[in-house]
């Protein structure tokens, strides 16, 4: 019965944005795959779009984690030469291209879409064709920090501006059972974490602004964006709820905390393993009942 239930659905997974918190998606995917849950459709926003794109390209979660452990703030220690943002993404683009080459989304073994926003029209776009690397750059183009990406004559920025957790995109691509993974959740009693001054995160911020006294100003911007993302996520979930929601409690971790990758990975694994207990039962329910009795882990 177990495999019969799974075969009756086309499994999709929607991965939220969250900057460095996106490391958690890797372990979520790893736990699901090891348990026999292999998504046929993947959608992602920002960090979720990057991890999801790598997975859709055929990279195993173990391979993605090995790549992730090579990511450091030094990859971004170069100002944008065109003045469109603080940070240039040439090194980052090379890193991604070394991982997947010049593959196009329509040629991926898993159906995939990355969410981005047209900076000029405010339109939400689901990129499900074209070069994968450019799509991953577009979905993660955090406004003001990373430069917009030109895509078919449009200037695209981070999809988290409008849709931090693209459950609706997964359904539109044909998923009949969607797992949503939310990285914005803050456990009761937790507060947003402040970096101590000696960690590289604030050093990067100070380098970007070229003035140490601006460090906390930019940190305040990131915190404000995080608060907005949490509210937008809840609103979108109310409109388009997933069939099963995995909340990874990483909302207290700053979006630029690349140095906390081991902790973020561990939180993702714990949340995914907790979700397995009810996932089978949720998939066995008819869709109308899943909507009446939404479950979260």
């Amino acid at each position: 019965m177990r495999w019969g239930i799974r075969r009756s659905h086309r499994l999709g997974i929607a991965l939220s944005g969250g900057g460095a918190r996106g490391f958690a998606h890797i372990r979520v995917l790893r736990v699901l795959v090891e348990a026999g849950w292999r998504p046929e459709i993947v959608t992602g926003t920002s960090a979720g779009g990057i991890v999801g794109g790598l997975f859709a390209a055929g990279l195993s979660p173990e391979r993605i984690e090995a790549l992730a452990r090579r990511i450091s703030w030094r990859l971004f220690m170069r100002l944008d030469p065109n003045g469109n943002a603080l940070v240039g993404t040439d090194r980052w683009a090379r890193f991604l291209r070394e991982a997947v080459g010049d593959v196009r989304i329509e040629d991926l073994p898993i159906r995939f879409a990355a969410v981005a926003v047209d900076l000029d029209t405010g339109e939400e776009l689901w990129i499900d064709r074209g070069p994968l690397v450019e799509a991953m750059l577009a979905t993660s183009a955090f406004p003001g920090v990373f430069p917009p990406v030109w895509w078919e004559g449009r200037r695209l920025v981070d999809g988290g501006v409008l849709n931090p957790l693209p459950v609706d995109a997964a359904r539109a691509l044909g998923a009949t059972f969607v797992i949503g993974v939310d990285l914005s959740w803050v456990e009761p009693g937790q507060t947003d974490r402040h970096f101590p001054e000696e960690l590289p995160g604030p050093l990067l911020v100070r380098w970007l602004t070229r003035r140490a006294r601006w460090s906390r100003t930019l940190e305040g911007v990131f915190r404000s964006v995080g608060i907005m993302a949490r509210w937008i996520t809840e609103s979108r979930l109310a409109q388009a709820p997933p069939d099963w929601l995995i909340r990874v409690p990483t909302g207290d971790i700053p979006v630029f905390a690349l140095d906390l990758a081991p902790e973020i990975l561990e939180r993702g694994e714990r949340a995914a393993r907790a979700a397995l207990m009810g996932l089978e039962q949720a998939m066995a329910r008819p869709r109308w009942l899943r909507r009446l009795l939404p479950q979260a882990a």
Side-chain angles (χ1 to χ4, degrees):
M1 180 178 179
R2 187 181 186 192
W3 286 105
I5 292 172
R6 295 183 186 185
R7 288 197 187 104
S8 68
H9 291 284
R10 195 174 186 201
L11 181 61
I13 189 165
L15 306 176
S16 79
R21 303 168 189 167
F23 289 124
H25 288 315
I26 303 170
R27 287 287 178 86
V28 171
L29 286 169
R30 179 176 175 177
V31 169
L32 292 175
V33 169
E34 288 177 351
W37 303 89
R38 185 169 290 275
E40 298 179 60
I41 294 168
V42 178
T43 59
T45 294
S46 197
I50 294 171
V51 174
L54 294 172
F55 182 76
L59 277 68
S60 68
E62 292 80 7
R63 173 60 177 151
I64 299 172
E65 183 170 331
L67 287 171
R69 290 183 180 278
R70 292 171 47 199
I71 298 173
S72 74
W73 53 273
R74 292 179 179 83
L75 264 179
F76 308 101
M77 291 283 284
R78 178 172 293 179
L79 295 177
D80 177 34
N82 300 313
N84 294 319
L86 287 174
V87 177
T89 53
D90 288 347
R91 293 178 181 174
W92 178 229
R94 284 198 299 271
F95 181 87
L96 294 174
R97 195 160 280 111
E98 287 173 2
V100 299
D102 294 317
V103 66
R104 296 179 64 85
I105 296 174
E106 55 266 39
D107 297 326
L108 299 179
I110 296 174
R111 191 83 188 273
F112 173 70
V115 179
V117 173
D118 187 314
L119 185 59
D120 299 302
T121 67
E123 181 184 359
E124 177 183 331
L125 299 179
W126 299 345
I127 306 175
D128 62 353
R129 56 186 171 79
L132 176 61
V133 170
E134 277 63 31
M136 291 192 290
L137 292 173
T139 190
S140 59
F142 193 102
V145 178
F146 299 128
V149 173
W150 283 98
W151 183 280
E152 298 182 352
R154 296 171 178 256
R155 288 192 304 161
L156 303 187
V157 295
D158 196 310
V161 171
L162 290 177
N163 194 353
L165 180 52
V167 172
D168 49 355
R171 292 205 193 284
L173 291 184
T176 60
F177 188 99
V178 180
I179 300 171
V181 185
D182 174 27
L183 305 182
S184 68
W185 188 49
V186 179
E187 287 184 315
Q190 273 186 338
T191 57
D192 288 353
R193 182 178 306 190
H194 290 270
F195 267 125
E197 288 297 318
E198 66 271 14
L199 285 182
L203 294 178
L204 173 59
V205 173
R206 288 199 295 271
W207 179 85
L208 290 175
T209 58
R210 297 298 179 95
R211 293 187 181 182
R213 64 185 177 87
W214 287 3
S215 174
R216 296 198 181 280
T217 300
L218 195 52
E219 183 182 1
V221 172
F222 287 138
R223 286 178 180 278
S224 299
V225 170
I227 293 169
M228 288 188 291
R230 284 200 290 269
W231 280 99
I232 295 172
T233 298
E234 292 303 322
S235 175
R236 295 296 294 243
L237 285 174
Q239 298 171 29
D243 298 289
W244 192 254
L245 179 61
I246 301 175
R247 290 192 186 272
V248 184
T250 52
D252 63 310
I253 295 178
V255 296
F256 52 86
L258 296 175
D259 314 90
L260 298 180
E263 178 180 343
I264 297 168
L265 287 163
E266 177 61 28
R267 291 193 192 187
E269 180 167 352
R270 287 200 305 267
R273 292 199 183 282
L276 290 178
M277 293 187 291
L279 186 54
E280 193 86 44
Q281 292 88 338
M283 184 169 276
R285 298 189 192 107
R287 189 172 180 183
W288 65 267
L289 184 57
R290 294 199 303 268
R291 291 193 170 188
L292 284 176
L293 301 172
Q295 297 290 325

